[in-house]
Amino acid sequence: MPSKTVAVIAAHPDDEVLGCGGVMAKHGRAGDAVHVLILAEGMTSRAERRDRGLFDEELSALADVAKEANSILGVASLRLLDFADNRMDSVDLLDVVKVVEDFISGLQPDIVYTHHGGDLNVDHRVVHDAVVTACRPMPGKSFVTLLFFEVPSSTEWRTPGAALPFVPNWFEDISETVALKMEALGVYASEMRPWPHARSVKALESLAAWRGATVGVEAAEAFVLGRYVR
Ligand SMILES: [Zn+2]
C-alpha cells in the first residue's frame, strides 16, 4: 500500500489525541504522514474575559505539551493557531474555512479526521463546518475521505434532538497503539480530569475498550464516515 497523507484538524490542544490519537499512531507506524492543525488556543475561556496575557505561561506550556504529545504519536507536523478558545462562534465561518482550505490545499491529504458536527462544544462545531466546507468535492480536486471523531466530555454531552447523534459506522482497531494514546494523554495532564469525569484516564480507557468490544477487538476508536469516494 502506498503511504498516505493524513490531516487531523481539531479545535483545541488535546482534542486530536482524545478523538483519534490511537489512529494517528497507527498511521505513523504504517508509514503515513500525519499532519495536525489545531485552530484555537485553549485555556483562555477559563477566565471571565479573554486575555492572553493572563495565560501567557500556560499557553506556551500547553504548546510544548502539544508538541510532546504529538511526537509520541509520530506525527510529521503540528501547527497551532490562536483562534479564541470557546469563542469561535464569534469569528466569520468564512475566515475559518479559508485557514482550513489553505492547510488542505498545501497538503492534499487522502484522509481528514475532524470533529463531529453534533458536539456540545461550539468550537468543535465550527471546526467541523469549516472542514466539511473546505473539503467539498469539486471537479478536478482529489478525493478526500472525511472521518468525524468523538471527543469525550463534548460529543456525549449534547442532548437528544439538539443535533445529529454520534452513531459510529467506522471503527479503527487501535489495540497496538492505545498505550501510545494513553501516554500522549498523560502528557496533556492539565487537560485531564479525575474519574468519574468523561475526560479521565479510566473513562478514556473504558471508551477505547467499549469501542473495541463493539467490533470484537481489544481497543478501537469510533468514527462517523462523512464521505468516501473511489
Ligand atoms: Zn475541544
Side-chain angles (χ1 to χ4, degrees):
M1 283 271 280
S3 62
K4 297 189 184 82
T5 301
V6 177
V8 177
I9 303 175
H12 313 110
D14 80 349
D15 288 334
E16 77 288 13
V17 185
L18 291 165
C20 62
V23 98
M24 286 162 65
K26 189 174 166 182
H27 278 298
R29 285 185 169 192
D32 301 336
V34 179
H35 300 272
V36 180
L37 174 67
I38 295 177
L39 287 138
E41 62 207 358
M43 284 192 174
T44 56
S45 65
R46 293 174 192 174
E48 283 293 309
R49 62 188 171 79
R50 185 190 182 210
D51 182 351
R52 278 185 65 94
L54 288 176
F55 289 92
D56 251 357
E57 274 179 34
E58 285 95 336
L59 286 171
S60 98
L62 185 59
D64 290 343
V65 158
K67 283 176 204 149
E68 189 184 341
N70 278 272
S71 78
I72 288 169
L73 301 175
V75 309
S77 76
L78 167 68
R79 200 165 152 210
L80 294 160
L81 302 183
D82 57 358
F83 283 98
D85 182 42
N86 278 299
R87 291 186 170 91
M88 288 188 72
D89 53 338
S90 65
V91 182
D92 288 338
L93 181 63
L94 184 61
D95 291 338
V96 187
V97 170
K98 286 194 180 300
V99 168
V100 175
E101 272 182 340
D102 192 44
F103 183 70
I104 297 276
S105 69
L107 273 183
Q108 299 285 318
D110 302 291
I111 307 172
V112 175
Y113 294 93
T114 193
H115 292 280
H116 183 247
D119 277 22
L120 179 62
N121 186 282
V122 66
D123 295 350
H124 295 186
R125 297 201 301 273
V126 169
V127 170
H128 170 89
D129 288 346
V131 171
V132 172
T133 306
C135 294
R136 63 199 181 282
M138 305 273 265
K141 266 173 104 175
S142 51
F143 300 143
V144 179
T145 299
L146 274 176
L147 287 163
F148 308 138
F149 51 68
E150 59 184 330
V151 174
S153 75
S154 178
T155 312
E156 79 286 4
W157 281 354
R158 199 83 192 267
T159 49
L164 279 179
F166 182 82
V167 181
N169 57 1
W170 184 289
F171 293 81
E172 288 281 349
D173 182 352
I174 59 160
S175 304
E176 303 291 320
T177 56
V178 66
L180 287 172
K181 172 176 180 157
M182 297 313 297
E183 188 183 334
L185 286 171
V187 174
Y188 272 122
S190 66
E191 307 306 301
M192 298 293 281
R193 299 289 177 268
W195 171 260
H197 195 286
R199 213 165 59 238
S200 61
V201 168
K202 183 175 171 180
L204 290 157
E205 284 176 344
S206 302
L207 180 65
W210 173 243
R211 293 307 190 193
T214 305
V215 291
V217 299
E218 278 293 317
E221 281 170 341
F223 302 87
V224 172
L225 175 63
R227 183 180 297 114
Y228 180 66
V229 183
R230 61 174 285 166

